[in-house]
Structures are given as structure tokens and as C-alpha cells.
Amino acid sequence: MDKTNAAVIGLGSMGFGMAVSLARKGFDVAGTDVNAEAVQRFAAHGRAARSIAEAATGAAILVVVVVNAAQTRTVLFGPEGAANALPKGAVVISSATMSPKDAEALAAEAEARGLLYLDAPISGGAQRAAEGALTVLASGSDAAFAKAQPALDAMAQKLYKLGDKPGIGAAFKMVNQLLAGVHIAAACEAITFAKRLGLDIGKVYEVITAAAGNSWMFENRVPHILEGDYSPKSAVDIFTKDLGIVLDMSRDTKFPTPIAGQAFQMFMMTAAAGMGRDDDASVARLYAQIAGLDLPSSIKSNG
């Protein structure tokens, strides 16, 4: 196929893999990030852009993989934003985790400027991003899906088309994040409880992952604790943000989410203890500090 111009704004652990996946599938990809080292590393795979506007110029598809709605707004509509550089009819694939209200507002502003907007939060982690095997929870107009489809095919193994209005994908993602945050907090509580009981926590991991109490998060995060490695695959601060959004939505809809609220407080306490930028399995370290327990040494933590 002729090379389609695409741009990726945000070359972090997820965005970098998504950009590489696009390049691998034949897209002419420009990438940029506030981290100059990430941009330089991407130069081996595509065009390293010095600014958002440079990356977006001429792009038919713009993928925005930043932290939250505020950053997405800056990327699109800030003084050096992409909206003024994109051609009319280009599609924005917005992959930051945000509230449905924020997704709806960003979509309305993009569409008012002649752009298509796909609300497309992602799940799967950095490895699946690099493999082009993400799960995408998307909603938007038929035209937005049609324009974005080649890029989605390159980046995703599973694409869920969840509705014709932006905001629906964001809502699905927040249900996922409620469960993800609760499961991480529960896994950290369980493994440190096992430590308090004097059990071999390596053996506990072996047993639980073969038993009904297992979860994807227990299986994925507990090895970080066993290895004493808290370098951030996914940081504590991500879940203070995401569970905070869940609680905001809970209040707005007058629906109680007490378990999510407890998990939110555990992440908040972990962040307050100086571990906000460390891996989210650091909740176990907070439990260990409270209980006076020794977990395997933290050899790669940021905190």
C-alpha cells in the first residue's frame, strides 16, 4: 500500500510500541514526546519530530497517547497543538484514560475544527503495544472508524466497537480501571498477609496462580514483589488518577463504589509515602512498612 502519514504524540512505554507497530505495518510515522531521549530512540523507526505541530503536519491519522484529558487537550488545542496542523478530515485516535465527559468535550471541539475523533482507550501493556497486539475500547462515528481502521489493525489484536458516540469507550475503560486498581490492591494485600503468616511467598504465588483466587493482576504484579523490582511498568500515580476518575463518576451518578474507594486510598497512601512514581505493586511495600515486614529487596525502585 502507499504509505499513509501518521503521527504519534507521546512515546512512553505504550506510545512508543504503538508508533513502532505502525511503522512496521508500512505507515510513514512521525513521533514526538516531551522526553528528548524517547524521540531520539524513535528515530530508528520513523521520523523524529521536534514538536507536536511538526509531527501532525500532513498526517491523516494522529494517535495521542498521553496521561490524561488535560494533556490531550494541550496536544490538540494548545498554542503549538496538532489541530491547526492536521489536514481537514484527519482522524484523532485518543488513547489517554479519561472521563466520558472529557472525551465528549474533546471530540466536540475536534469535530468543530473539521477533524474526526475516535475515543479509543487501550489496554494490554508495553509488551503488547510493541507487538501490535493491544485491546482497544473504541467509540465514535462510522467515518472516524473507517479512517482509523488501518492504524487500529496495525496496533491492536482486539478492537471493540462500542458505540457511535465518543465517551462510551472512556466509560468502558473506567470499568476496567476500577477492576484493575482493586485487583492490584487486593493482590498486594494478599501477598503481604501471606508474609505476615510466615509463608513462603514464592510458594504462595505458585499455589494461588493455580487456584480460584488468582487474577490477572495477581499473576502479573506479584512477580515484581518477589523480585524486589519496583521500576515502573505502571506507576502508582496512574491509579491515583484513574481511581480518582472512578470516584468522580461515582459521585456524579450517585452510585456507591466503596471497594474502589478503599483501593484508591491505598494508592494515595503509597504515593504519599514517596512511591508515586514507582511500580503500582509498591502498595505491597506500604503494607510491609505498616506491618514491619521485610519483602525482597527493592533493587530498581525510583522511590
Side-chain angles (χ1 to χ4, degrees):
M1 70 174 185
D2 293 335
K3 286 195 173 186
T4 299
N5 284 355
V8 178
I9 312 300
L11 298 173
S13 59
M14 299 289 280
F16 189 90
M18 294 163 75
V20 170
S21 293
L22 287 168
R24 188 168 57 242
K25 290 296 184 177
F27 285 83
D28 180 5
V29 187
T32 195
D33 192 280
V34 294
N35 182 339
E37 291 182 5
V39 178
Q40 184 176 7
R41 186 160 65 103
F42 181 67
H45 306 276
R47 292 181 286 120
R50 293 168 293 181
S51 68
I52 294 168
E54 180 184 332
T57 298
I61 298 168
L62 177 76
V63 186
V64 185
V65 201
V66 291
V67 171
N68 55 28
Q71 289 187 7
T72 302
R73 176 168 292 282
T74 298
V75 165
L76 293 177
F77 309 121
E80 303 297 326
N84 291 329
L86 290 168
K88 300 296 183 186
V91 64
V92 175
I93 300 176
S94 175
S95 294
T97 300
M98 66 182 72
S99 74
K101 286 183 178 179
D102 283 329
E104 291 167 9
L106 288 167
E109 191 164 348
E111 289 163 1
R113 297 182 182 223
L115 303 173
L116 300 169
Y117 186 99
L118 197 67
D119 173 22
I122 53 179
S123 184
Q127 181 174 341
R128 289 187 181 180
E131 294 168 353
L134 289 170
T135 296
V136 179
L137 315 176
S139 64
S141 68
D142 289 343
F145 271 112
K147 191 73 176 261
Q149 192 66 54
L152 296 171
D153 289 342
M155 298 184 293
Q157 184 176 64
K158 292 183 179 180
L159 168 65
Y160 290 97
K161 296 183 176 182
L162 301 171
D164 60 1
K165 296 180 180 178
I168 299 172
F172 269 82
K173 179 63 184 291
M174 294 323 303
V175 173
N176 181 79
Q177 294 308 90
L178 184 159
L179 288 165
V182 167
H183 289 172
I184 292 167
C188 292
E189 182 173 296
I191 203 69
T192 47
F193 178 55
K195 184 70 174 179
R196 166 63 92 193
L197 297 177
L199 303 178
D200 177 342
I201 59 174
K203 181 61 68 174
V204 169
Y205 177 76
E206 179 184 342
V207 169
I208 295 301
T209 53
N214 191 33
S215 69
W216 192 93
M217 285 299 187
F218 185 95
E219 192 163 345
N220 183 266
R221 297 308 203 264
V222 171
H224 305 174
I225 300 163
L226 299 178
E227 295 163 9
D229 181 1
Y230 298 96
S231 54
K233 285 79 174 178
S234 172
V236 169
D237 285 341
I238 294 294
F239 279 96
T240 61
K241 171 182 71 76
D242 290 359
L243 289 177
I245 295 172
V246 169
L247 297 184
D248 288 343
M249 294 169 65
S250 169
R251 182 175 59 251
D252 289 346
T253 58
K254 294 182 172 58
F255 183 87
T257 52
I259 299 173
Q262 290 293 329
F264 171 76
Q265 290 299 331
M266 292 309 303
F267 286 106
M268 282 296 293
M269 287 188 282
T270 305
M275 295 177 275
R277 296 178 62 191
D278 284 356
D279 191 82
D280 51 34
S282 293
V283 173
R285 287 196 285 168
L286 180 70
Y287 274 110
Q289 288 177 14
I290 293 168
L293 300 173
D294 291 325
L295 292 175
S297 297
S298 176
I299 56 175
K300 297 180 182 178
S301 70
N302 286 345

